[in-house]
Amino acid sequence: MLKEVEHWLSTRSWSLTDRPLHRILAAKQRTGQSVSVVLPALNEEATVGDIVAIIRHDLMQQVPLVDEIVVVDSGSTDRTSEVAAAAGARVVHRDDILPRIPAVPGKGEVLWRSLLVTSGDIVCFIDADLKEFSSDFVTGIVGPLLTEPGVDLVKAMYDRPLGGAAGQGGRVTELMARPLLNMHWPQLAGFVQPLGGEYAGRRSLLEQLPFPVGYGVELGMLVDALHLVGLDALAQVDVGVRKHRHQDGQALGRMAAQIYRTAQLRLARGHLVRPSLTQFERGPDGFEPRTYSVDTEERPPMVEITEYQSRKVA
């Protein structure tokens, strides 16, 4: 490990107990910064309501840390929107945001568009499929942004149990993302959960970053933020244990391919073959190929979008 990373781990890698809630609230009052929480959601009626309700109760009603909770529904066919709204979130449908640019499927697309419908100086992203959720996830990653002026992006780190086994979740992280980062961006080798969906950033940084529209958004954001603001402006906080719905092996394969493509684009921009991934499923006549596009379209930095510029001027 690089000496720079060893130093970073000792100065920018924290735990929840390093920042008691009263200290975070005092920093918020002193700096006057506002906080938006965004949940990207697709068919998450089973979990999104509990997450919203806990954040609203703990961090809006009990203490004034969070200023708004926005659920961006990316085309759910279940009751995700209704459940989220009933729990107290403002629900916005992906296709209603920036309709001039037709939306495409993907988590990164939703996160990018959320910048247009939130107002917080700090934007906190939380996945909507978490189980046994604790508001510590929010305070943990928002805290350093309120108390440390030199920090611009904070990732959560945690244990990810799989099937009752501790630490076995995050298969794409261990098989794809971590090797890529260690080999090509060794400054980022200290991140425990580089692909984790719980992180917070200053709007002033997020609006300058391109957003891969799919699963490559977390890796792309880390790499681009490193180049834009440097390692010392990035941090991570241990928030305990993360439990969520796990995807099957083939879905993970497609996710890994998108993440690899995101890295590839950052290593050598342009003049690359448009990639695809062929997987196999057993059918009545034996194994049948299924081919998926894993090209990773990217949205430009939000600060370049006319509607966003107009909103900031207004």
Side-chain angles (χ1 to χ4, degrees):
M1 183 178 290
L2 296 176
K3 291 292 185 182
E4 180 182 4
V5 177
E6 291 181 357
H7 176 73
W8 179 83
L9 283 170
S10 66
T11 60
R12 287 290 187 261
S13 190
W14 296 300
S15 70
L16 280 169
T17 56
D18 291 330
R19 286 174 185 78
L21 185 56
H22 68 84
R23 180 184 167 197
I24 296 172
L25 291 170
K28 184 178 191 291
Q29 184 176 23
R30 183 177 66 253
T31 61
Q33 296 177 88
S34 55
V35 177
S36 299
V37 175
V38 172
L39 279 71
L42 177 63
N43 296 327
E44 303 294 357
E45 68 173 336
T47 50
V48 67
D50 287 344
I51 298 172
V52 169
I54 290 169
I55 296 172
R56 183 172 177 79
H57 175 268
D58 292 359
L59 304 179
M60 296 182 80
Q61 296 172 340
Q62 295 289 101
V63 298
L65 180 64
V66 172
D67 297 281
E68 64 175 349
I69 307 173
V70 178
V71 170
V72 183
D73 191 326
S74 58
S76 297
T77 56
D78 64 2
R79 298 182 61 252
T80 290
S81 291
E82 293 87 341
V83 170
R90 176 162 60 92
V91 178
V92 185
H93 291 271
R94 176 199 62 196
D95 296 349
D96 295 334
I97 307 170
L98 199 61
R100 173 177 64 84
I101 301 176
V104 297
K107 179 184 179 182
E109 177 84 351
V110 173
L111 300 183
W112 180 72
R113 289 176 186 263
S114 75
L115 296 180
L116 257 171
V117 294
T118 53
S119 58
D121 302 302
I122 294 168
V123 182
C124 172
F125 299 118
I126 300 290
D127 279 352
D129 66 342
L130 301 188
K131 303 173 183 177
E132 302 178 27
F133 178 77
S134 167
S135 58
D136 286 345
F137 274 68
V138 176
T139 55
I141 55 181
V142 167
L145 294 166
L146 291 169
T147 61
E148 305 289 336
V151 172
D152 290 331
L153 182 71
V154 182
K155 298 277 292 188
M157 57 177 166
Y158 33 65
D159 294 313
R160 296 183 66 179
L162 175 64
Q168 295 302 306
R171 290 161 288 174
V172 176
T173 292
E174 300 303 330
L175 296 175
M176 176 60 69
R178 198 176 308 286
L180 280 172
L181 292 175
N182 275 263
M183 287 186 289
H184 299 296
W185 297 281
Q187 287 177 295
L188 298 174
F191 277 94
V192 175
Q193 297 291 352
L195 300 185
E198 291 69 47
Y199 48 98
R202 298 191 193 280
R203 178 175 296 272
S204 57
L205 170 64
L206 297 174
E207 67 185 11
Q208 296 183 68
L209 299 177
F211 276 61
V213 301
Y215 287 118
V217 63
E218 275 84 24
L219 183 135
M221 188 177 294
L222 268 185
V223 171
D224 294 338
L226 174 67
H227 289 298
L228 191 62
V229 295
L231 181 60
D232 201 49
L234 313 180
Q236 61 184 351
V237 175
D238 187 349
V239 297
V241 178
R242 181 187 197 266
K243 296 181 180 180
H244 67 116
R245 183 187 68 253
H246 293 280
Q247 301 195 54
D248 63 37
Q250 291 205 333
L252 295 179
R254 296 190 291 274
M255 183 186 300
Q258 288 189 24
I259 290 165
Y260 179 78
R261 174 63 168 167
T262 299
Q264 185 186 47
L265 287 171
R266 278 153 179 77
L267 290 168
R269 296 280 183 176
H271 308 295
L272 298 174
V273 175
R274 292 179 65 86
S276 62
L277 174 72
T278 298
Q279 297 177 319
F280 294 89
E281 298 177 9
R282 184 181 289 280
D285 298 318
F287 284 102
E288 301 174 354
R290 300 283 188 272
T291 299
Y292 303 88
S293 171
V294 294
D295 207 4
T296 54
E297 181 177 351
E298 299 198 5
R299 295 304 191 188
M302 184 57 78
V303 75
E304 297 177 6
I305 300 299
T306 301
E307 290 86 343
Y308 188 79
Q309 295 172 353
S310 299
R311 194 193 72 165
K312 292 189 73 175
V313 170

